[in-house]
Amino acid sequence: MLIACLSGLFVSDLRAQETQEKIDVDNVSRSFVVHLPQGYDAQQHYPVVIVLHAENQDADDMGRLTHFSQFAEKKGVIAVYPNATRGQWNIAVRAEQQPSIMPRRGYGRRGGGYPGGGGYPGGGGGYPGGGQTGGENPNESRNRPEPADDVAFLNQMLDQLALKYSVDPHRIYATGLGDGGFMALRVGCNMADRIAAIAAVGAEFPKTMICLPSRPIPALFIEGTDDPIAPYAGGSFKPGHFHVLSAEDSAKTWAKFDRCAEKPAQDKLPALDKDKDKGAKDTKTLTFSLCADNAQVALYSVKNGGNTWPGGEQYMTEKEVGKTSNALSANESIWTFLAAQKIASDTSMQK
């Protein structure tokens, strides 16, 4: 009986490492998942990585496809997975035309599909952000709910995290995939006083995104060269039907925000798992340095990669989202970049 009780306590302790949290934002209940590192000690101050899911996914899906929680445990990081309303983030960019209906497919719980069918993009909804109305039926526009204030949500989420957990306010970061990658960019534009650095995967800079960071904020772009959703060379981002810059121009644009040197350093990252990925190629890198406040901007171009998380799961077919490359570990690359950044004491908001 004693062994059974101890075993039960052990299982309970493991489960306690991950908690579901809720807050009310504008009278709407919002949720997020907090994953604490093993051996969490309230006497320490832990870095936080906000991990933003792709469209028509949720926090659990993002944890499964990235394996970031397991990685964060080893690195002593608190991983936080917010949930968007209706599966879509408000990135404050208007759609330029009416989104078309695209298939909902994926893998995961409930018999093989992410919530709402999983992945990109569901039901022709496009993004809710910024009140896209281009080409729509006026009656549909009137009946559509107001887009969520996701910046307010994330700010209140950070307030609650600071109250309940031992968080280092100088080391809070944001990353995301696809729709979540665009939201990470918006976080960099709108929350630079609280976020030390960002990393966007499968998300180039939208041409019409208004971005006025309150300080130079480091940014990493990880982009697949064969991405069918957010084209590496720029063009129309299919689910949201707005235009994005090319991957290289996205990095150059952010480098201008951070007042970096104009000419980037070029290099390569050797392909990692060539046994698992026979076609794995080296990842080309562009790094902008000599930026204001010691910021840095980098682009990692994943050869043959799609709108996917390198080293993660192939959450939809290659035809739909492209290939998940194992030439690079997104988790390792993102954390190596983010961990080198720290927000200055006089600009962080300690609440």
Side-chain angles (χ1 to χ4, degrees), residues 124-142:
Y127 288 104
Q132 299 92 311
T133 57
E136 299 177 85
N137 183 316
N139 291 326
E140 291 180 1
S141 298
R142 281 195 294 269

Side-chain angles (χ1 to χ4, degrees), residues 55-76:
E55 187 172 356
N56 283 341
Q57 296 179 1
D58 68 6
D60 291 339
D61 298 323
M62 194 60 176
R64 276 198 302 275
L65 80 88
T66 62
H67 308 296
F68 191 80
S69 292
Q70 299 92 313
F71 177 83
E73 285 183 2
K74 299 174 185 177
K75 300 296 183 179

Side-chain angles (χ1 to χ4, degrees), residues 21 59 94 112 123 142 161 172 185 201 224-225 242 255 290 337 344-345 348-349:
E21 305 275 352
R94 294 174 64 91
R142 281 195 294 269
L161 284 171
I172 299 175
L185 294 176
V201 182
T225 62
F242 54 83
L290 300 177
F337 181 87
S345 302
S348 66
M349 292 177 62

Side-chain angles (χ1 to χ4, degrees), residues 155 158 169-170 187-196 213-215 217 343-351:
N155 270 311
L158 291 180
H170 310 299
V187 165
C189 296
N190 290 252
M191 296 175 61
D193 55 345
R194 303 188 80 169
I195 302 298
S214 61
R215 66 174 183 85
I217 183 166
I343 198 168
S345 302
D346 58 347
T347 58
S348 66
M349 292 177 62
Q350 301 183 50
K351 296 188 175 184

Side-chain angles (χ1 to χ4, degrees), residues 106-269:
Y107 81 95
R109 61 184 180 283
R110 295 193 286 278
Y114 283 116
Y120 290 99
Y127 288 104
Q132 299 92 311
T133 57
E136 299 177 85
N137 183 316
N139 291 326
E140 291 180 1
S141 298
R142 281 195 294 269
N143 295 330
R144 174 175 298 168
E146 285 294 314
D149 188 343
D150 283 328
V151 169
F153 165 46
L154 295 178
N155 270 311
Q156 289 182 224
M157 182 188 77
L158 291 180
D159 292 344
Q160 182 159 310
L161 284 171
L163 291 172
K164 296 187 68 173
Y165 303 100
S166 187
V167 170
D168 184 343
H170 310 299
R171 295 187 295 162
I172 299 175
Y173 312 99
T175 186
L177 169 65
D179 190 24
F182 288 114
M183 189 62 205
L185 294 176
R186 189 183 179 198
V187 165
C189 296
N190 290 252
M191 296 175 61
D193 55 345
R194 303 188 80 169
I195 302 298
I198 61 169
V201 182
E204 293 93 358
F205 194 79
K207 284 187 175 181
T208 57
M209 178 175 273
I210 297 172
C211 189
L212 299 169
S214 61
R215 66 174 183 85
I217 183 166
L220 169 64
F221 293 82
I222 297 180
E223 311 296 342
T225 62
D226 291 346
D227 188 333
I229 305 296
Y232 182 85
S236 177
F237 176 70
K238 293 179 181 177
H241 281 249
F242 54 83
H243 282 80
V244 295
L245 302 177
S246 70
E248 291 190 13
D249 284 344
S250 296
K252 290 177 182 177
T253 296
W254 205 277
K256 289 179 181 177
F257 296 157
D258 290 353
R259 303 192 295 280
C260 305
E262 288 188 13
K263 191 171 182 180
Q266 301 185 41
D267 206 345
K268 289 183 179 181
L269 298 174

Side-chain angles (χ1 to χ4, degrees), residues 290-307:
L290 300 177
C291 310
D293 295 349
N294 295 315
Q296 190 177 69
V297 178
L299 165 65
Y300 293 178
S301 301
V302 183
K303 185 70 174 178
N304 302 326
N307 200 261

